[in-house]
Amino acid sequence: MNCPEATLVYSHAKRSYRDLPLRFAEIGRLHRNELSGVLGGLLRVRQITMDDAHIFCRQDQIKSELVTILKMIQEFYKRLGLPVTYGLATRPKKALGDLETWKAAEKVLAEALKEVGLPYQILKGEGAFYAPKIHFDIKDSLERVWTIATAQLDLQMPDRFKLEYTAENGKAERPAMIHRAIFGSFERFIGILLEHFSGALPFWLSPVQVAVLSVTDDALPYARSIHQNLLEKEVRSWIDDRNETIGKKIREAEMQKIPYILVIGKKEAEAKTVAVRARGKGDLGGMTLEKFMAIIKEDNG
Ligand SMILES: [Zn+2]
């Protein structure tokens, strides 16, 4: 885990109440020696890359920090169109620290969830041994539930690592520590995303957004100019100028689930238009590049 290292970064300097909250983010790599039988595609791997962050704050800043994190996670998953369910995982049977501290930590997590207006379930006893946490779960296309993002309020680790800051009255105080991840792990996140969309990623997220297919050699210069034009407009365009039948080129581009296919033949070259095929919508007919740009601008939200 990356957490102990974050506490070292915190304590390498003297901290004052004015320095807090301190938010450390990292793209951290973790390893887990999973048995080969449980490895599965991107969903379960041995090397995990996490978007990890550790926030050190004063007791009176915990709630507002949690609210900020919850809003960030909510906004992120909304943008992707992934339906998230929220859960508050409470003290497990074997846990560090006293009951009172746990109750206080669970209460502040519940308050933050309420403040952001998120409906949530209580997941009794499912917290980590050192902290209660907010679970963010999504269901994939096979109805399997995956825990993705996380936010944990940890009142134990600062104690174990003797973290301190100087309070306004000059006394040494313990900061609170929040662990958070938005993606969870990049590997699993990409796996879930690909399954959720069955490979048909939203336009803005597609690695290739538009495929330009030439029908005949005499349409090639025009097809290349369209491709170039799209790239200059920051559209991720790809050109298929191979000497293959147009039927084959269309089939292959469709298999790649590219959102838009522009078919460029002699007719289009002469009329200075593009023949548009949209993923899931079929043939949209011929139009100028300006009109096509207006369509994809809408897709980009
Ligand atoms: Zn952590």
Side-chain angles (χ1 to χ4, degrees), residues 1-4 6 50 52-54 130 152 154 157 177-180:
M1 65 205 305
N2 306 325
C3 323
M50 267 188 81
D52 215 354
H54 293 94
Y130 55 89
Q152 309 177 11
D154 185 346
M157 214 176 275
M177 182 177 182
I178 300 170
H179 311 249
R180 78 108 182 96

Side-chain angles (χ1 to χ4, degrees), residues 82-93:
L82 294 175
V84 180
T85 53
Y86 301 88
L88 173 52
T90 60
R91 188 177 189 273
K93 278 213 174 77

Side-chain angles (χ1 to χ4, degrees), residues 254-270:
E254 281 177 347
M255 291 248 296
Q256 295 289 320
K257 308 209 173 170
I258 297 168
Y260 289 99
I261 297 171
L262 303 184
V263 178
I264 313 280
K266 203 173 164 203
K267 188 176 131 202
E268 287 74 28
E270 276 167 6

